[in-house]
Amino acid sequence: MNRMSFGKYLYRHWKSWAVILTLWLISLPLSLLNPYLAKLIIDKAYPDRDLKLFLIIAVIGASIFALNSAINYFSSYLLQRTKREVHFDITISIFRHLQNLPLKFFNHKSTGEHIYKIVSDVNAVTYFLCDTIPQMFMIIPRAVFILIIIFFLNSKLALFAICIIPLAYLEPYFFTKFLRQVTTLVIEKSQQLWIRLYETFSHIHLIKALGKEDAEINRFEGDLKETMVAELKNERLSNIRILSGSLVDRIISGAVILYGGYLVIKGKMSLGSLSAVMIYLTQLVGLSKSINEFFQAITVSSISFKRLTEIMDTKPQITDSCNAKDYRIPRGGIEFKNVSFGYAEKFILQNLSFTIEPGAKIALVGPSGCGKSTLLALIVRLYELQEGAIEIDGLDIKQVRLKSLKEQIGIALQEEFLWNDTVKNNILYTKENASMDEVIRAVAIAEADDFINSLPQGFDTLIGENACRISEGQKQRLAIARAVIKRAKILILDEALSSLDSRTEDKIVDNLNSDFPDSTLILVSHRLSSVRKMDTVYYLESPCIIKTGTHQELAEENLKYRELFASQIEEAVI
Ligand SMILES: Nc1ncnc2c1ncn2[C@@H]1O[C@H](COP(=O)(O)OP(=O)(O)O)[C@@H](O)[C@H]1O
Ligand SMILES: [Mg+2]
């Protein structure tokens, strides 16, 4: 995608643009008539002392002004509306595209950067598309019109102006390089500020707990100073440009006045014509300012175009293949066939093969960092496999439409995110049309009913940003309720019970085993009592070896496995 492809956002509203340009074209000659009327007054009405002519010209001038104002009002309104629509279209396209990008993309970027792009870069691009480009369309006819009128008033002066005016266009070329450097700096620094703001306020709890408020104030102050310095550089450059621009404008106007004065003195031009030419010339020089702004806008917006294009050019890596289909998981059996995967060059899982029977209740164990979460992420296709295949009930998951796959797997993670919404709405997030009975049942499985009933507004209690008004354990129970409400054929709990006391964890595991007799349950837990409740333990020993058996069998034959639970085995004996 390049800058031109953003043109489609303009093209979508071509009818509005056609009306706006037509109105501008009507308004153009009207706006240029008044100086000519002034010339008539100076050259005809005043010398002849013709009051009638004077009044007629004044009424014509006033009528033209009124008509032009009405046209301008309507075209400005239409322009604003179209601009809002283009802004809306671009923002939603970028947001939609970002939503569909693979997780890997987000692992290498910070959230503040995306927010900055959606807000600030989209604004810059919309400004260029909807303000700069249409105005450029009008500059050429306007300049041609003005030159024709000047030509009509005095051809020599018009030729002189045509020769000298291009001087005004040299200046933007000279500043382009500096402008690009300074704008890039401003964007970098402002983005850094947004990233800092986002990270600070989303981790305010941690900052307070560690007493790092002063350190954060200092860091923010440093970023703010750097942004201020960059903005000042930008403003300094802008002032130099304005100064040099007005100097060039004065030189051009001065030269034309001198030459025009010479023509008047020599009797080759009337005073009225010179007055009119001067007004037209001011307008012509004003156009050179617009052209300067156009070049500036090209330079400034090209940086934002590039930043948005980076997003739009990143392909949604995991997309549905053309023969992908909606699929109802019949039994929930999972098979890994020679699966290899790594985030970078190093494989986390390598040539790994194993089977989980339909409806099996299994514990997935292994030391932290061995790849358990990665393995589970692959089942829901958060990442693409490098080699091998994963099948559910004999069908490669690549053949299943992504949405359909994810709808049928219930998943709860250790660090669950809950929305700043009510308890009930958070549970309904995975099944919006669930009945209250279903919600109550899910809550009972998650052993969350007691604590929800004790909340001030029960299910309607707002839990705050990042669920700050409830405890970690309560958060995890809501996340379990949210995962089980779908009553999926495959249920995955990745250390999702880690903040709970062992009695509650035991109860939830029992509830899951009894309430989901036919579903496949994969539980990642470091708690021995939960692991023991599972039919089979899958022990991820190395990137390519997964050992299976009951806890007893694995403990007897595998030293490393025994060490994993050593302290808990001793406690159990006590
Ligand atoms: N998004 C990621 N990008 C790069 N490396 C990652 C990412 N997530 C996990 N890892 C690495 O992959 C390995 C396995 O991580 P993970 O599957 O989370 O382990 P576990 O769940 O068993 O504790 C770790 O070494 C970890 O550092
Ligand atoms: Mg993990």
Side-chain angles (χ1 to χ4, degrees):
M1 187 170 185
N2 58 28
R3 197 187 309 182
M4 298 306 283
S5 31
F6 279 88
K8 69 172 182 252
Y9 297 106
L10 286 184
Y11 181 69
R12 265 183 216 168
H13 303 280
W14 69 269
K15 282 184 194 152
S16 303
W17 290 118
V19 177
I20 291 168
L21 290 178
T22 312
L23 288 174
W24 282 357
L25 280 174
I26 297 171
S27 141
L28 176 60
L30 295 180
S31 69
L32 292 176
L33 263 178
N34 275 352
Y36 188 77
L37 295 179
K39 170 205 149 48
L40 289 182
I41 289 177
I42 294 171
D43 285 350
K44 293 256 190 279
Y46 288 168
D48 302 348
R49 301 191 183 278
D50 187 343
L51 187 62
K52 198 177 157 203
L53 180 65
F54 176 74
L55 286 176
I56 290 172
I57 294 175
V59 169
I60 294 175
S63 314
I64 288 173
F65 176 77
L67 179 63
N68 211 15
S69 301
I71 293 175
N72 283 343
Y73 171 80
F74 189 62
S75 62
S76 310
Y77 165 74
L78 201 57
L79 178 68
Q80 289 302 334
R81 206 185 69 183
T82 315
K83 197 168 140 185
R84 284 285 122 223
E85 284 165 355
V86 170
H87 183 269
F88 178 92
D89 289 350
I90 299 179
T91 309
I92 199 75
S93 300
I94 301 282
F95 186 79
R96 186 178 292 130
H97 198 80
L98 275 169
Q99 287 290 320
N100 288 318
L101 288 183
L103 206 48
K104 254 187 183 174
F105 175 84
F106 295 94
N107 290 345
H108 295 102
K109 302 264 179 201
S110 50
T111 309
E113 185 176 331
H114 305 309
I115 300 176
Y116 187 85
K117 282 181 176 170
I118 286 179
V119 177
S120 191
D121 287 321
V122 170
N123 267 348
V125 162
T126 309
Y127 176 78
F128 181 77
L129 292 175
C130 298
D131 282 318
T132 317
I133 292 186
Q135 273 171 23
M136 272 320 286
F137 262 104
M138 288 312 296
I139 282 178
I140 295 165
R142 198 174 175 87
V144 170
F145 246 101
I146 293 176
L147 281 172
I148 290 174
I149 298 174
I150 298 180
F151 212 84
F152 177 70
L153 291 167
N154 190 297
S155 55
K156 277 191 186 152
L157 197 61
L159 283 175
F160 181 74
I162 289 173
C163 294
I164 195 164
I165 278 173
L167 270 182
Y169 306 125
L170 290 178
E171 184 242 331
Y173 287 113
F174 180 73
F175 284 109
T176 299
K177 194 175 133 213
F178 303 112
L179 192 61
R180 184 181 294 276
Q181 281 170 357
V182 172
T183 310
T184 310
L185 188 72
V186 169
I187 289 182
E188 269 172 16
K189 295 299 168 193
S190 317
Q191 179 174 285
Q192 181 53 40
L193 205 64
W194 284 53
I195 293 172
R196 180 79 65 219
L197 280 172
Y198 172 79
E199 289 200 329
T200 311
F201 289 112
S202 53
H203 297 101
I204 195 77
H205 188 269
L206 178 82
I207 294 168
K208 294 242 161 250
L210 301 181
K212 299 291 283 184
E213 293 94 334
D214 286 340
E216 286 308 321
I217 292 168
N218 286 341
R219 283 214 294 184
F220 184 70
E221 202 176 347
D223 287 340
L224 197 59
K225 268 191 191 140
E226 285 182 19
T227 313
M228 192 170 78
V229 169
E231 295 279 12
L232 274 175
K233 270 189 189 168
N234 193 20
E235 277 152 19
R236 210 177 312 143
L237 180 67
S238 162
N239 286 341
I240 294 172
R241 293 187 61 236
I242 292 172
L243 197 69
S244 69
S246 68
L247 197 68
V248 174
D249 292 350
R250 292 285 149 83
I251 291 171
I252 295 172
S253 314
V256 177
I257 290 173
L258 281 177
Y259 186 58
Y262 168 79
L263 292 176
V264 172
I265 288 168
K266 287 284 171 192
K268 292 178 181 165
M269 187 174 168
S270 73
L271 191 60
S273 296
L274 181 63
S275 313
V277 166
M278 288 320 298
I279 299 173
Y280 287 124
L281 196 72
T282 315
Q283 295 193 4
L284 207 57
V285 169
L287 288 188
S288 80
K289 275 211 186 79
S290 303
I291 292 181
N292 274 1
E293 277 165 19
F294 176 69
F295 284 114
Q296 173 178 344
I298 289 187
T299 311
V300 172
S301 68
S302 68
I303 300 165
S304 294
F305 270 114
K306 194 164 159 241
R307 289 161 53 83
L308 294 186
T309 310
E310 255 171 34
I311 296 180
M312 296 307 263
D313 279 349
T314 311
K315 293 244 160 356
Q317 199 186 21
I318 303 176
T319 44
D320 288 326
S321 65
C322 48
N323 52 354
K325 54 185 177 189
D326 286 329
Y327 175 65
R328 277 235 69 78
I329 296 175
R331 302 171 67 219
I334 304 170
E335 186 172 2
F336 273 56
K337 288 182 161 175
N338 302 317
V339 167
S340 297
F341 173 79
Y343 294 97
E345 292 90 64
K346 189 176 153 246
F347 279 131
I348 305 291
L349 305 173
Q350 195 171 14
N351 212 10
L352 189 68
S353 297
F354 64 89
T355 309
I356 301 173
E357 293 302 326
K361 310 285 180 270
I362 74 140
L364 177 62
V365 300
S368 76
C370 72
K372 303 178 295 294
S373 298
T374 306
L375 184 153
L376 299 175
L378 297 178
I379 299 177
V380 276
R381 281 191 78 196
L382 285 185
Y383 300 101
E384 205 66 272
L385 304 182
Q386 266 113 355
E387 286 163 26
I390 299 173
E391 290 180 359
I392 292 183
D393 293 331
L395 183 72
D396 189 332
I397 55 171
K398 278 188 176 172
Q399 309 292 320
V400 184
R401 204 164 279 148
L402 273 169
K403 197 160 174 283
S404 155
L405 178 76
K406 289 178 189 187
E407 269 169 8
Q408 294 182 77
I409 300 179
I411 192 159
L413 307 171
Q414 182 177 17
E415 290 197 3
E416 273 291 4
F417 176 78
L418 297 171
W419 300 100
N420 184 3
D421 204 339
T422 61
V423 167
K424 187 175 157 203
N425 286 346
N426 268 291
I427 298 170
L428 288 176
Y429 189 61
T430 51
K431 193 177 178 190
E432 287 169 19
N433 55 358
S435 66
M436 201 54 208
D437 281 348
E438 289 175 276
V439 173
I440 289 171
R441 193 165 169 206
V443 160
I445 295 170
E447 294 289 325
D449 29 10
D450 283 352
F451 103 79
I452 293 174
N453 289 334
S454 71
L455 289 173
Q457 277 99 34
F459 280 98
D460 295 322
T461 309
L462 285 166
I463 57 172
E465 192 170 86
N466 234 338
C468 61
R469 290 190 209 131
I470 56 175
S471 78
E472 280 302 315
Q474 292 169 338
K475 224 161 123 177
Q476 283 197 333
R477 277 179 274 174
L478 289 192
I480 302 278
R482 180 169 74 181
V484 299
I485 195 166
K486 293 198 285 188
R487 305 212 59 86
K489 267 277 177 287
I490 297 174
L491 259 177
I492 295 172
L493 271 65
D494 186 1
E495 301 196 38
L497 305 167
S498 58
S499 299
L500 297 170
D501 60 274
S502 51
R503 220 173 81 85
T504 313
E505 172 163 346
D506 281 351
K507 275 191 191 167
I508 294 175
V509 173
D510 287 340
N511 293 347
L512 290 169
N513 278 334
S514 59
D515 250 84
F516 288 89
D518 301 326
S519 295
T520 306
L521 173 64
I522 307 176
L523 178 82
V524 176
S525 171
H526 292 295
R527 204 167 267 153
L528 182 57
S529 59
S530 301
V531 171
R532 275 189 168 144
K533 285 182 191 290
M534 297 290 122
D535 302 338
T536 318
V537 180
Y538 284 59
Y539 170 48
L540 188 58
E541 191 172 26
S542 73
C544 39
I545 299 175
I546 198 159
K547 289 260 162 74
T548 60
T550 61
H551 167 71
Q552 207 56 41
E553 286 163 1
L554 288 170
E556 276 166 18
E557 72 191 38
N558 196 307
L559 178 64
K560 279 195 197 146
Y561 178 83
R562 220 166 31 242
E563 280 171 0
L564 206 60
F565 291 103
S567 60
Q568 294 183 55
I569 291 171
E570 279 160 22
E571 270 173 34
V573 169
I574 294 163

